[in-house]
Amino acid sequence: MGCCSTSPDRLIDTEVSRELNGDKDRASKIQKLLFLGSGGSGKSTFFKQLRCIHGAGFNEKDRSVYKEHISAQCIEQICRAVECIPHHNERLPEQYDKLQLSKDAEQSAQYVENIPVDHLMNPEVASHIDVLWREDAIQQIFQNRAIYHIDDSSAYFFDDIQRIGEAQFQPSDMDIMLVRYRTTGVVESRFNIRGSMFQIFDVGGQQSERKKWIHCFENVTAVIFVASLSCYDETMFEDDTTNAMIDSLELFREICNLQWFVATPIILFLNKTDLFEKKIQLIPLSVCFGDEFPKEPPRSMSGAELSTTTMEQQPMIDGDEARTQYIADARNFIKKKFTDNNLNGKRAVYAHITIATNKDNVDQVFNDVQQIVVN
């Protein structure tokens, strides 16, 4: 009779409750990862690699956008290198030869300086950039790129500028990995990594962007802090007086000990180890840490050797075994500087040595991340 019937409203309520509970179950199975770190550490490169490995990759529209970014980087960076020549000459001791462009290069410099930054690359622009890139003066400015805020990846594009200048040029995946474009705001995407769903947030690392991070802090499964190993001789993009490594260490200490993350796993990516291994043979850690790093390079007791007529740096270290050991000691010193900033004795910091531009390395590292987070 009527007492056994169920009203339509109750059926609807039951269905809504079932859907809501289903949404909650699905949400609880999503691993929320937050990429944090200083600007230029490589956070966005990891994000792009995940999109290639575990996402949909890049379509034609995406590649057209990155083509614009590559053009902008090439034009802006070669102009910056030219502008830095007089500043570099002012810094040179009297016994060093002043940097000077050839007549052809001066004409190319005048040409590129009048190009709008948003101008797309073409064969003519590429030809002028190629002339400048071959100049000894520009090469020496690039060797001192840490001082002048010239991106490491610019050499990759300058070396292949004729390809980039072709009308039919479309960026490859590696081009996309290496182009430097500063992240603003918060970028979010979801990836299925070996059967686990990850919701990953990439945020801008510049100081002006950090106030936006707080909105991402709730219900985080793990924090991935990305730090550049190679930034120990660099200054911050927005503050020439602050060493980039010191800023990264201070930021890690702040993030690591926030009340939001007391019970949250912290995963530390010590990134750009490929660049670090080259740089540490030229520039000692003392430029950042003074006497804290007691190891001396086997060959030079006071930093990279310089030629007598230029500021060109020569490797400090003789011998493969000594070189390998020195690089490992320097890397472990920096790793300890970071992990010592974790004041929570009950929570471990999982450190990984990474190369964000290396697809295989990123794939392996995120296999480890999945094990840490899911298990």
Side-chain angles (χ1 to χ4, degrees):
M1 295 180 64
C3 62
C4 295
S5 65
T6 303
S7 71
D9 288 343
R10 181 170 294 181
L11 285 172
I12 292 171
D13 288 344
T14 302
E15 185 61 29
V16 170
S17 296
R18 188 180 296 118
E19 289 181 5
L20 288 173
N21 288 332
D23 288 343
K24 288 179 181 177
D25 288 342
R26 284 189 291 273
S28 67
K29 294 177 182 177
I30 295 174
Q31 313 297 331
K32 181 178 178 182
L33 301 184
L34 190 57
F35 272 123
L36 299 179
S38 299
S41 59
K43 299 185 307 301
S44 297
T45 308
F46 278 107
F47 201 79
K48 290 185 284 189
Q49 283 284 25
L50 289 175
R51 188 171 170 181
C52 280
I53 300 169
H54 299 291
F58 303 100
N59 58 32
E60 277 193 38
K61 184 178 179 181
D62 297 326
R63 293 182 192 276
S64 293
V65 171
Y66 281 111
K67 181 177 181 177
E68 295 175 5
H69 294 337
I70 291 168
S71 292
Q73 176 173 339
C74 290
I75 294 169
E76 189 270 337
Q77 294 276 281
I78 201 69
C79 288
R80 183 187 294 269
V82 171
E83 291 168 0
C84 288
I85 290 175
H87 301 290
H88 186 82
N89 286 337
E90 289 176 5
R91 295 177 57 247
L92 287 175
E94 289 185 6
Q95 68 267 31
Y96 293 104
D97 295 337
K98 303 297 183 183
L99 301 186
Q100 191 172 1
L101 293 175
S102 66
K103 288 185 178 180
D104 287 344
E106 285 181 355
Q107 292 176 357
S108 290
Q110 290 177 0
Y111 179 90
V112 298
E113 285 171 352
N114 291 316
I115 300 173
V117 174
D118 59 356
H119 186 83
L120 272 180
M121 191 66 60
N122 60 44
E124 185 178 13
V125 175
S127 178
H128 284 291
I129 291 176
D130 189 47
V131 168
L132 287 165
W133 180 236
R134 293 173 185 275
E135 288 285 299
D136 180 66
I138 298 297
Q139 291 291 323
Q140 289 196 46
I141 292 295
F142 186 75
Q143 286 189 1
N144 290 272
R145 58 192 176 278
I147 302 170
Y148 301 123
H149 298 296
I150 295 173
D151 295 319
D152 293 300
S153 67
S154 292
Y156 167 87
F157 295 113
F158 293 153
D159 284 341
D160 211 6
I161 197 67
Q162 300 295 356
R163 174 179 67 90
I164 294 166
E166 293 172 356
Q168 66 272 26
F169 167 69
Q170 280 291 347
S172 65
D173 286 350
M174 183 54 74
D175 296 335
I176 292 172
M177 293 305 132
L178 288 171
V179 66
R180 179 79 173 97
Y181 183 75
R182 291 178 180 84
T183 304
T184 56
V186 179
V187 181
E188 180 264 339
S189 193
R190 296 191 180 195
F191 303 100
N192 189 316
I193 302 178
R194 295 177 177 85
S196 299
M197 184 59 70
F198 287 84
Q199 183 181 25
I200 300 181
F201 294 84
D202 176 29
V203 299
Q206 278 72 38
Q207 285 181 326
S208 59
E209 294 293 317
R210 294 174 189 175
K211 60 186 177 183
K212 304 173 185 176
W213 294 3
I214 193 71
H215 304 295
C216 305
F217 284 177
E218 258 190 315
N219 303 317
V220 172
T221 309
V223 171
I224 297 178
F225 189 94
V226 185
S228 169
L229 278 170
S230 69
C231 72
Y232 64 90
D233 68 326
E234 301 171 11
T235 57
M236 294 178 64
F237 177 77
E238 56 272 72
D239 180 7
D240 277 336
T241 64
T242 302
N243 179 279
M245 177 69 78
I246 299 301
D247 173 72
S248 188
L249 283 163
E250 291 176 350
L251 182 59
F252 181 73
R253 182 185 180 91
E254 180 183 344
I255 294 298
C256 214
N257 300 296
L258 279 175
Q259 61 177 5
W260 293 85
F261 303 138
V262 170
T264 304
I266 302 290
I267 301 167
L268 173 64
F269 285 179
L270 294 172
N271 195 35
K272 301 189 179 182
T273 187
D274 53 334
L275 301 178
F276 172 77
E277 289 178 2
K278 294 176 182 177
K279 182 180 285 187
I280 195 64
Q281 299 181 61
L282 298 172
I283 304 170
L285 283 183
S286 58
V287 299
C288 177
F289 297 108
D291 296 331
E292 285 188 70
F293 183 61
K295 293 275 186 179
E296 291 288 353
R299 181 172 155 196
S300 170
M301 300 296 288
S302 59
E305 296 180 354
L306 301 175
S307 70
T308 55
T309 57
T310 72
M311 289 288 279
E312 185 176 355
Q313 295 165 326
Q314 305 295 330
M316 297 184 295
I317 307 169
D318 280 332
D320 290 341
E321 187 176 343
R323 180 184 297 111
T324 300
Q325 187 60 52
Y326 182 72
I327 291 170
D329 290 343
R331 187 170 53 227
N332 289 333
F333 172 82
I334 294 175
K335 176 182 173 181
K336 189 173 187 301
K337 292 292 288 186
F338 275 95
T339 55
D340 283 351
N341 279 323
N342 174 32
L343 305 181
N344 183 350
K346 297 180 181 179
R347 192 260 321 277
V349 172
Y350 303 92
H352 294 267
I353 305 300
T354 62
I355 306 174
T357 55
N358 185 308
K359 189 174 182 178
D360 291 338
N361 178 262
V362 172
D363 194 24
Q364 179 58 52
V365 164
F366 269 87
N367 182 48
D368 296 341
V369 167
Q370 187 202 30
Q371 299 299 315
I372 293 168
V373 171
V374 175
N375 298 332

